[in-house]
Structure formats: C-alpha cells, structure tokens
Amino acid sequence: MTTAADRSPDTAAGLDTEAAYSPEEVHQEFGENPNEVRDTNHYQDEYIKGFVDKWDDYIGWEGRAASEGSFFIDQLRARGVEKVLDVATGTGFNSVQLLEAGFETVSADGSAEMLARAFHNGRERGHVLRVVQADWRWLNRDVHGEYDAIICLGNSFTHLFSERDRRKALAEFYAMLSHDGVLILDQRNYDSILDDGFSSKHKYYYSGDTVTAEPEYLDDGLARFRYTFHDDGSVYHLNMFPLRKDYVRRLMREVGFQKIDTYGDFQDTYGEDTPDFWIHVAEKTYRTDDELTESYSTAVHTARDYYNSADADTFYHEVWGGEDIHVGLYATPDEAIAPASARTVEQMAETAGITAETRILDMGAGYGGAARHLAKKYGCKVTCLNLSEVENERNREKTREQGLEGLVDVVDGSFESMPIQDNAYDLVWSQDAFLHSGERSTVVAEIARVLVPNGQVVFTDPMAADGADVSALTPILARLHLDTLGSPGFYRAEFAKHGFNDCSFTDHTDQLTTHYGRVLQELEKAEKAFAGKISEEYISNMKTGLRNWVNGGKSGQLAWGIFRIRR
C-alpha cells in the first residue's frame, strides 16, 4: 500500500501542484519502520499542516454535533460548571460548542497547527478562542488558573505512549481542577479492537463521510491508524497507544479521582451494540468513608439497588434459601437448593488449609452463610464485605442469633474500592459476586492489595466461556446492565499480572445450568404463595432471567466452577 510518506508531497496532501504547501507541511516522517515509532513527542510531527487542514473533513462538524447532542453540556451543567479548560482543542469543535453554550472556555493543545485551525474555525463562527499551546505534562506551567472542568476529547489521551506520561498528565489535570471539579476524557474502544477486530458504526465523533479511518497495524503497544480521504485519495497516519477502558479508569482512581462513570457512545448502558467510544466522567470531590456509596460505579450502583429492593430480598431469602444464595453442587438434578449450596462451600474450603489463625475476607458475602460455616467449623475470623445494606443487616442478625459476632464481621462496601487495609488477609473468598462489577481488573488488583504475600484466593463466578459469542449473552448482560462477563482465561491472565502463578480451575459448568433450573422450578412452585409479597413484574423478569442462564449454559456460552489461586 502507498502511504503518505511514499508519495510526492503534493499527491500526499491531495492537492494540485500549485497548492501553497511546503514539503514539510504535507510529509509525515515515520522513518524506515513506522510501527516502531512509539514516542509521546512524535504527535507534533504527525499533525502537519496538510493533515490538519483536512481534519474537519474527518470530524464532520454537523454530524458530530447531532450525534453528541447535549451530552457534554448536560454533564457540565449538572455539576454547576462555569469555567472549562479544553486540553485537546484540535480544530476547535468542542471549544466552540462550549462557548455557544455559555461556558467560559480556554482552549489548549500541544499542536500549533491545530490551534491555528481552531482559532480560524472559531472566527468563522463568531468566536475568538483563547488559545494556548501546552504540553499536558507541564500543563500547570503553561496554563494558569483553576477550572471547574477539564475536557480531553477526540481520543487524544491515546497519544501518550508511556505510563509515566499518562500518570503525569492526569496529575496535572487533577491539580488544575477546583476541589469539586470534573474531568471528562474519552477514548476509542480499544478493548473491542484488540480482542475482536476493528469495526465502526461511523455514527459518533467522526462523522465525515469522505474519510475512512482504520487500523493499519495493531498490537498491545501500538494502534497505527490510516486515514484515507476519498475526495482526493490522500493518505495520512497516526501512531497511538491502544488504551484499555479499565486501565484508564484505574489510573484516574489512583491519581485521586473519587467517582468515575463510564458511558459507551454517550449511553450508560450499551444494549446490543459494542460502543465505538468510551467517555469517562471523573469527579474530584472527596468522599468520606460515610459517603463511599456515592463513588460506586454504575454497575455497582445497579447491583446495590437491586439487592436492596424488597422484591429481591424476599426472593433470595425465602425462595433461594436465605443462608447461601450462591450456585450449588447437586448430587442429583432434583436435590433441594440448600444442601447443594452448602456442598459448594464445603468443596471450596476442603483444600484451602483453613485453621483458626486464617484471616478470611468474603467478597460479596450476601447473607453470610459461607462466613458463618467457616467460622463455626474452623474457628477462624471472617470479614464479610458486601454492597447491599439490606443483606448486610440480615447477615448481622443471623450472626448474632448464632453467637458468632466475635468471629464474623460485616462491612458495607464495594470490592472495586475496598475499605480494607493492605496485606490484611490470608484468604480471599468469593461466590458468584465478581460478575456484578464492570471493573473486574480492578477487583483483581484490590484482591492482590489486601492479601498477604503468600495468600490465596478461592472463588466461583458465573462467566462467559472462553471464546464465547458475546452477542449470544446479550439477554443476560442486559439484565445485569453489564457489557461483559469474566471468563476463565480472563481471570487466569489478570491474576498472573499480579504474581499469582499457581492457578487451578475445576469446571462445574453443568451445575450452573442445574442450579438455575432448580431455582426456576422453586419459583414457579412458590409463585402463588408469594402473590402480594413479590411483585408480578419482578417474578416475570426473574423467570426470564433464570431461563436465559439455563439457555446460556446449555448452549456452551457460559462457564462456572471453582478457582483456587496462589501467588
């Protein structure tokens, strides 16, 4: 394929020979090995004048305005924002939108060519942009003042190739925000590109219909995109770092942002479509321990609200079993739920080497049945961490009734950001809870943090089978308000990143299908008895959900079993 660097300068820019461009203004220099160019500073050599002058063809201002709607404006107004710093101004689209919405706006960018085009675009639309050239890594040096909001849009953060640069840039953003400020940062859905290949609805962000943008080369450290302009055949390239969604969220949290909501193509739930872009909305406002629930992710909030509902509490306590509300191991297909659920706990514990000295953290403990079993059998201390205050109160009542207050402690909290000190536990235990997190990489990192160096993890989780067709799981994901499930391969890889090299998985996927089928049978049998106690809508939705799990298991798209993991 011919690249911009291979062509004559005039052809590369798509111009005739009389166009007033110098060779440097139309020739991108990537050297002999373009795929080896992985340098944060190289972006200035990529945004040359010939490319910048065609950038608005790629954006498609009218189409982009229609696709965004008032999303960003609404996010800012909802937080009382007045003063905004646009740190990735580009050719000025978002800065102009902000000015027209009445926000005091300063427009910064690292590219002088982009800022010149942005200033020109602003003047054409009746605005004088306050522009400043600035490198994010030295933002506080180059831009002065404090801002209510910073926006970093247009997939710009992807130009930073080193983690050190990314952390420094986020720290600079954080420092320039007011105490209750907000950062809005977007990115391509590189997870989908890396895992499933590139596709685009060409509906959001880049709506120009005369340009094709697609990856020419891709690995975990580089996404080299080719931009072909169909009106004249010109071709340009950008080298970018393929940021994964959960990685960006983790960096934001570690820098100090307290609450991070992530939207897919401007929606908080994604339905059947894989988003082209993620938009992270990160709030700086500090939350005290009593206010931690305000910082929960959207997925955690959804799970918390669900399990706190009267319908869910009645169903899980009265129909599912009330002591253990997790997937059971059935001796026969028609065995009662309670003994099958208890058998799961026993099998999980039998090779864990638990003694009275073992300190255990049960993540997503529900009503605490497993914790009380372990405390009674081994005399060990167990902390139950759970996000549902309703379930936690039942847990405390049952624990008091059984005289186990001295061994079982119950803590309100999310396992995405646990109110637990480092190196506090010998064993992390969890049953069928991690699926409720939209940030499972963060969950694994939190486990690694709270475990002692030689600690172990024993858990179960309803998962997608390795290689599953994600579209086949849409009915399950939609009910959970999630875009993915974990998988055996995912958990092996994530734990390995944190030094957990001894990993075994005992596959009991057939039991998942049996269990949800048994719960469905019990619900249908008890349906009349619970009329007036559980809403008809809840029962109908639950039966649909249970059938989805059964069908998913029978079709080979799901996996379930017992993980035992050590460092």
Side-chain angles (χ1 to χ4, degrees):
M1 161 166 271
T2 304
T3 68
D6 296 324
R7 297 174 168 188
S8 69
D10 296 327
T11 307
L15 303 168
D16 62 40
T17 56
E18 298 181 2
Y21 283 91
S22 68
E24 293 78 14
E25 291 175 329
V26 294
H27 179 86
Q28 292 177 307
E29 181 56 58
F30 284 96
E32 295 182 0
N33 298 302
N35 296 341
E36 297 303 316
V37 178
R38 305 176 185 215
D39 178 12
T40 295
N41 297 316
H42 195 262
Y43 74 94
Q44 295 201 40
D45 297 325
E46 297 172 22
Y47 287 109
I48 56 176
K49 183 172 175 55
F51 191 18
V52 169
D53 285 349
K54 300 183 74 62
W55 193 253
D56 288 330
D57 294 341
Y58 179 45
I59 291 177
W61 280 46
E62 291 184 4
R64 182 162 174 176
S67 67
E68 286 186 6
S70 61
F71 177 85
F72 294 115
I73 304 303
D74 291 344
Q75 291 288 333
L76 297 174
R77 284 178 174 162
R79 293 167 173 83
V81 168
E82 296 179 358
K83 190 175 180 181
V84 183
L85 174 61
D86 181 355
V87 296
T89 297
T91 58
F93 172 80
N94 288 110
S95 285
V96 169
Q97 296 291 105
L98 292 170
L99 288 170
E100 292 183 346
F103 294 97
E104 180 183 347
T105 306
V106 173
S107 305
D109 201 286
S111 166
E113 293 291 351
M114 281 291 193
L115 287 175
R117 172 57 62 177
F119 189 82
H120 171 78
N121 286 339
R123 289 293 297 269
E124 282 194 334
R125 291 162 175 79
H127 302 285
V128 177
L129 270 62
R130 296 164 58 192
V131 298
V132 55
Q133 186 174 3
D135 188 306
W136 298 335
R137 295 166 292 183
W138 295 276
L139 193 64
N140 282 266
R141 179 196 68 186
D142 299 335
V143 181
H144 302 290
E146 185 177 81
Y147 296 84
D148 304 318
I150 290 176
I151 62 170
C152 181
L153 303 178
N155 194 42
S156 300
F157 201 64
T158 193
H159 287 300
L160 300 176
F161 272 89
S162 77
E163 178 159 330
R164 184 167 175 260
D165 287 343
R166 291 188 283 272
R167 288 182 180 274
K168 184 63 165 65
L170 287 174
E172 291 285 306
F173 297 165
Y174 187 91
M176 294 202 71
L177 286 170
S178 60
H179 74 280
D180 58 352
V182 61
L183 167 66
I184 303 179
L185 182 151
D186 71 9
Q187 63 171 105
R188 277 191 183 276
N189 184 355
Y190 286 111
D191 292 76
S192 177
I193 296 173
L194 289 167
D195 297 338
D196 306 315
F198 177 75
S199 65
S200 174
K201 295 184 289 294
H202 200 59
K203 179 179 179 182
Y204 303 102
Y205 278 81
Y206 301 114
S207 302
D209 56 9
T210 64
V211 188
T212 297
E214 55 191 353
E216 183 175 275
Y217 176 85
L218 190 67
D219 63 33
D220 286 337
L222 176 67
R224 178 172 168 80
F225 266 67
R226 179 178 63 250
Y227 300 82
T228 304
F229 293 85
H230 302 302
D231 57 345
D232 53 31
S234 60
V235 177
Y236 292 93
H237 292 82
L238 290 177
N239 281 17
M240 298 169 285
F241 184 88
L243 297 160
R244 288 190 177 270
K245 179 188 70 171
D246 288 348
Y247 168 76
V248 175
R249 289 174 57 89
R250 175 171 64 81
L251 288 186
M252 288 178 156
R253 185 178 292 107
E254 290 176 357
V255 165
F257 288 100
Q258 297 288 296
K259 180 185 179 185
I260 305 163
D261 286 325
T262 298
Y263 299 81
D265 290 342
F266 312 109
Q267 305 294 321
D268 55 2
T269 57
Y270 323 125
E272 298 182 4
D273 293 328
T274 299
D276 284 342
F277 277 79
W278 300 116
I279 304 104
H280 307 291
V281 181
E283 296 181 354
K284 183 176 178 179
T285 302
Y286 182 72
R287 265 78 173 181
T288 65
D289 288 347
D290 293 336
E291 300 170 316
L292 282 176
T293 57
E294 297 179 19
S295 65
Y296 288 172
S297 69
T298 300
V300 171
H301 266 300
T302 299
R304 175 174 174 256
D305 292 345
Y306 171 76
Y307 284 109
N308 275 344
S309 70
D311 281 339
D313 182 53
T314 302
F315 169 75
Y316 285 102
H317 192 260
E318 303 297 333
V319 178
W320 197 301
E323 186 73 8
D324 295 298
I325 54 173
H326 310 294
V327 176
L329 292 171
Y330 291 79
T332 62
D334 59 352
E335 184 179 15
I337 294 172
S341 296
R343 188 175 295 113
T344 303
V345 175
E346 293 164 359
Q347 287 203 19
M348 289 175 66
E350 66 183 9
T351 62
I354 300 171
T355 70
E357 304 303 316
T358 304
R359 297 165 299 173
I360 300 176
L361 174 64
D362 185 352
M363 296 173 63
Y367 295 129
R372 286 186 292 276
H373 171 85
L374 298 173
K376 283 187 286 188
K377 183 171 182 177
Y378 299 102
C380 57
K381 290 188 176 181
V382 185
T383 299
C384 296
L385 179 75
N386 198 53
L387 55 80
S388 167
E389 294 85 356
V390 171
E391 288 183 345
N392 289 346
E393 190 51 42
R394 282 197 183 274
N395 188 349
R396 294 184 183 101
E397 290 175 2
K398 292 174 181 289
T399 299
R400 284 193 296 268
E401 290 171 358
Q402 297 180 33
L404 294 170
E405 306 99 309
L407 294 177
V408 177
D409 184 32
V410 183
V411 177
D412 298 340
S414 163
F415 36 67
E416 292 177 359
S417 181
M418 296 190 287
I420 303 292
Q421 68 184 33
D422 296 1
N423 304 310
Y425 293 94
D426 306 297
L427 169 63
V428 165
W429 176 289
S430 184
Q431 291 180 256
D432 311 327
F434 296 160
L435 80 160
H436 291 298
S437 171
E439 300 178 48
R440 296 178 200 95
S441 296
T442 300
V443 173
V444 174
E446 281 288 272
I447 291 172
R449 179 181 67 81
V450 302
L451 269 179
V452 297
N454 61 343
Q456 62 175 315
V457 189
V458 179
F459 75 95
T460 64
D461 198 40
M463 299 171 286
D466 289 326
D469 178 3
V470 176
S471 64
L473 300 177
T474 297
I476 293 172
L477 295 172
R479 287 202 72 240
L480 297 171
H481 297 276
L482 294 171
D483 55 320
T484 65
L485 291 173
S487 67
F490 167 83
Y491 284 119
R492 288 190 185 96
E494 287 301 314
F495 277 101
K497 291 177 185 177
H498 295 276
F500 293 89
N501 297 314
D502 183 357
C503 176
S504 70
F505 174 64
T506 306
D507 193 323
H508 293 292
T509 301
D510 59 318
Q511 295 286 354
L512 182 75
T513 304
T514 299
H515 179 77
Y516 283 116
R518 285 291 295 113
V519 176
L520 177 59
Q521 291 171 5
E522 292 298 317
L523 177 57
E524 290 175 336
K525 186 166 61 176
E527 187 171 349
K528 291 183 179 180
F530 283 98
K533 297 180 181 178
I534 303 177
S535 69
E536 292 182 6
E537 180 183 11
Y538 181 90
I539 291 175
S540 176
N541 288 339
M542 177 56 70
K543 289 195 293 187
T544 298
L546 292 169
R547 291 188 186 104
N548 289 338
W549 282 109
V550 171
N551 293 336
K554 288 182 176 179
S555 68
Q557 301 298 326
L558 296 175
W560 184 85
I562 300 173
F563 269 103
R564 294 180 173 85
I565 302 175
R566 296 177 182 269
R567 292 189 194 269

